[in-house]
Amino acid sequence: MWIYEHTTKRRLFKTPVIISYQTIGTESVQSYLRECYEKKYWLMCDCTTPPAIMFLRRQSKDGEIVLVNHSQFGSHGAECEFYSSVKGSPREINFNGALVSAGEKRHHVQLYRNFTSDIPSAASPSSASSNSEMRIDSFIRLVWQLFEDSLTQLADISQPSPSELISLLKVRDAGQQVILCKQENLKKHLYVDAKGFGLLKSNMKKAHRLNSSRRHQSVLLLFATHLEFRNESLRLTTYKGEVFYIDNVRRKNIKINRFDLYDTPCLVALSFCYESPESKPEDLICIKWFAQPFVNLKFPILVHSNYEKIVIDYAIHFLSNYPDIHNPCLYKPLSAIVDNRTQKEFIPSFTVSFSQANKTRRFALFLQETEIENVYPDDTQFSNTFDSIEILKLYEIQTVETLKYRIRMILEDAINRLNL
């Protein structure tokens, strides 16, 4: 039995006491489990691969600590005394703590209801922005869709990269295919950069004056190198060094995985509306917003984790300097890729494609953060989509330099095996 730190997803050390059904009620084991409970440790049983996870629960009656199998990662070996029938695997793909629907695209969106209910204050709970459930908010899904449809998630290494503003305008153009509130395409209500925020406020004021019975809605996207949220005010610094404020931000940002506001540079996406028909035109409010890091300003590819940011940045650098490969492209999907033969799906950390002799080859890399992750794919299930799938076990790596070395080895091996 091992001690497992679930916040960092690390196996720490073996338990100094023997934990079994025969010993769990003894004072020595209970005393040790109480210490683990206070430190918020979990237990890892290596009766199977991947190891089974159990968390600790204090019984309300007598304070005894009991073991509970994790609903998704708590499947023990059949011969283990802690074996039970564990159910609860998600209907959606689990990726680094976030549940992402496979291939869902939205062609009609409505960010807010049309004045049918009051908008909660910042102190009020909200299922939409709750972090207790690891489901991805519909606003985040929408922005991800725009980034994928605009090919902003694709790094065509052989071509010059567009400027930061051009990248955002490409994302805005993708809104042409999405209808907002069953009336107009989203592009007309999607603004980019600091100057776009001024235009957004002007147009929203005008629209509210003309028809205050309708809840007008708009979206702002920009790249920030620094941001600070305090007292319903968001302070942003753009990549140009401009500093400006967005007031009346009613709630904290919607969380994505373990990111916080210090993970920059990042995309900042905000949605705006009016609280009621009686609101003054200048009383524009922001209810939903989130910040998500990207690789770099040259390639503003959104990432699901800081590990991905480091790995993709280095992979792009490596591929741009690797000889004898043609038209190398790196793609970071935000939703699942589905094999057209098996209909199996998964979200790789990134894919790499290149061509030689009029033939395109493609392989995928999956970053496995913990030993208990069992969602990584089988090559045979994606043979129609990828020539190979590489797995990088992050939990075995201690330093950034070692991580870069492993990435280099994986990329070189994959390229050599594909006979390039």
Side-chain angles (χ1 to χ4, degrees):
M1 197 76 70
W2 291 76
I3 294 298
Y4 177 71
E5 190 176 52
H6 67 94
T7 55
T8 60
K9 297 185 177 181
R10 290 187 302 146
R11 182 203 295 240
L12 297 182
F13 48 82
K14 279 192 173 183
T15 58
V17 296
I18 297 175
I19 299 175
S20 66
Y21 274 122
Q22 287 71 37
T23 65
I24 195 171
T26 63
E27 179 56 34
S28 60
V29 172
Q30 280 293 308
S31 175
Y32 181 72
L33 291 179
R34 281 193 289 271
E35 291 181 20
C36 294
Y37 179 84
E38 294 299 327
K39 295 178 180 178
K40 300 182 179 180
Y41 287 158
W42 291 0
L43 297 181
M44 174 183 283
C45 181
D46 52 10
C47 62
T48 185
T49 302
I53 297 298
M54 298 179 286
F55 59 89
L56 309 180
R57 178 180 293 167
R58 187 193 295 274
Q59 298 282 64
S60 58
K61 292 182 179 180
D62 52 13
E64 181 183 6
I65 303 296
V66 297
L67 307 182
V68 180
N69 287 332
H70 191 283
S71 63
Q72 186 178 352
F73 300 119
S75 297
H76 294 261
E79 302 301 320
C80 180
E81 62 178 321
F82 293 105
Y83 173 83
S84 66
S85 178
V86 175
K87 299 187 183 297
S89 58
R91 292 176 297 172
E92 300 170 287
I93 293 174
N94 184 287
F95 182 81
N96 292 339
L99 296 178
V100 183
S101 289
E104 282 190 9
K105 285 208 171 186
R106 306 182 68 195
H107 299 289
H108 294 81
V109 298
Q110 183 168 341
L111 302 174
Y112 305 108
R113 295 180 179 180
N114 191 28
F115 296 129
T116 57
S117 61
D118 293 333
I119 296 178
S121 65
S124 301
S126 167
S127 60
S129 59
S130 172
N131 298 324
S132 60
E133 302 214 7
M134 301 297 290
R135 296 192 177 274
I136 299 299
D137 185 272
S138 58
F139 180 48
I140 297 179
R141 292 176 187 267
L142 172 62
V143 175
W144 285 3
Q145 177 180 319
L146 297 178
F147 266 71
E148 288 190 320
D149 290 352
S150 64
L151 300 183
T152 306
Q153 294 299 108
L154 176 71
D156 189 347
I157 299 168
S158 62
Q159 301 296 322
S161 57
S163 67
E164 296 85 356
L165 180 58
I166 294 298
S167 295
L168 286 174
L169 290 175
K170 285 171 56 183
V171 175
R172 179 174 179 265
D173 287 342
Q176 185 79 33
Q177 308 303 319
V178 180
I179 303 301
L180 180 64
C181 299
K182 301 180 181 180
Q183 296 187 34
E184 300 174 313
N185 67 67
L186 177 63
K187 179 181 177 180
K188 294 183 178 179
H189 303 276
L190 198 158
Y191 303 83
V192 300
D193 217 358
K195 290 183 179 179
F197 181 51
L199 187 59
L200 180 153
K201 291 190 292 184
S202 175
N203 289 344
M204 287 287 283
K205 287 179 182 179
K206 181 179 178 181
H208 190 66
R209 287 192 184 101
L210 291 174
N211 182 5
S212 62
S213 63
R214 175 187 170 191
R215 176 170 278 158
H216 302 281
Q217 307 172 30
S218 59
V219 174
L220 175 67
L221 302 178
L222 55 89
F223 294 139
T225 58
H226 179 80
L227 63 158
E228 181 181 352
F229 179 65
R230 185 181 301 172
N231 298 328
E232 297 192 0
S233 181
L234 186 62
R235 181 184 186 271
L236 302 107
T237 305
T238 71
Y239 56 89
K240 295 179 181 178
E242 303 167 318
V243 177
F244 70 103
Y245 293 82
I246 298 178
D247 297 320
N248 293 329
V249 180
R250 293 297 182 84
R251 297 178 186 157
K252 294 181 179 180
N253 58 308
I254 309 169
K255 283 277 191 175
I256 301 177
N257 287 347
R258 297 179 294 278
F259 292 135
D260 58 38
L261 295 186
Y262 300 101
D263 291 315
T264 55
C266 61
L267 167 78
V268 183
L270 310 99
S271 59
F272 297 86
C273 69
Y274 285 97
E275 190 165 9
S276 71
E278 292 74 32
S279 297
K280 297 178 181 179
E282 60 270 17
D283 291 339
L284 189 65
I285 60 174
C286 170
I287 299 297
K288 287 185 178 184
W289 70 282
F290 71 94
Q292 183 169 3
F294 53 84
V295 175
N296 54 50
L297 289 173
K298 186 177 180 181
F299 295 105
I301 297 172
L302 300 182
V303 292
H304 282 121
S305 70
N306 282 316
Y307 290 118
E308 283 189 350
K309 179 177 180 179
I310 296 170
V311 168
I312 293 176
D313 188 33
Y314 181 74
I316 291 174
H317 172 76
F318 174 84
L319 292 170
S320 63
N321 293 282
Y322 195 87
D324 303 325
I325 61 172
H326 303 276
N327 301 322
C329 291
L330 183 146
Y331 178 63
K332 163 58 195 167
L334 295 168
S335 55
I337 290 177
V338 182
D339 187 270
N340 57 15
R341 180 178 63 86
T342 63
Q343 298 303 302
K344 296 293 183 179
E345 55 194 34
F346 87 112
I347 306 177
S349 298
F350 65 83
T351 70
V352 174
S353 62
F354 34 77
S355 56
Q356 186 181 47
N358 297 322
K359 185 175 183 180
T360 299
R361 312 301 294 267
R362 179 190 294 176
F363 68 89
L365 185 136
F366 182 85
L367 301 180
Q368 184 185 355
E369 288 197 26
T370 70
E371 290 182 86
I372 64 171
E373 260 180 313
N374 56 2
V375 295
Y376 53 83
D378 181 351
D379 283 45
T380 60
Q381 296 177 341
F382 292 87
S383 58
N384 253 31
T385 306
F386 301 110
D387 293 284
S388 68
I389 297 177
E390 314 297 329
I391 309 296
L392 177 60
K393 298 178 180 180
L394 289 174
Y395 57 86
E396 296 179 346
I397 298 173
Q398 302 296 323
T399 67
V400 173
E401 289 307 313
T402 304
L403 176 61
K404 291 180 178 179
Y405 173 78
R406 293 287 296 276
I407 289 295
R408 185 169 71 252
M409 292 298 99
I410 286 176
L411 292 174
E412 286 183 346
D413 287 347
I415 292 171
N416 290 335
R417 278 191 282 107
L418 296 178
N419 298 319
L420 289 178

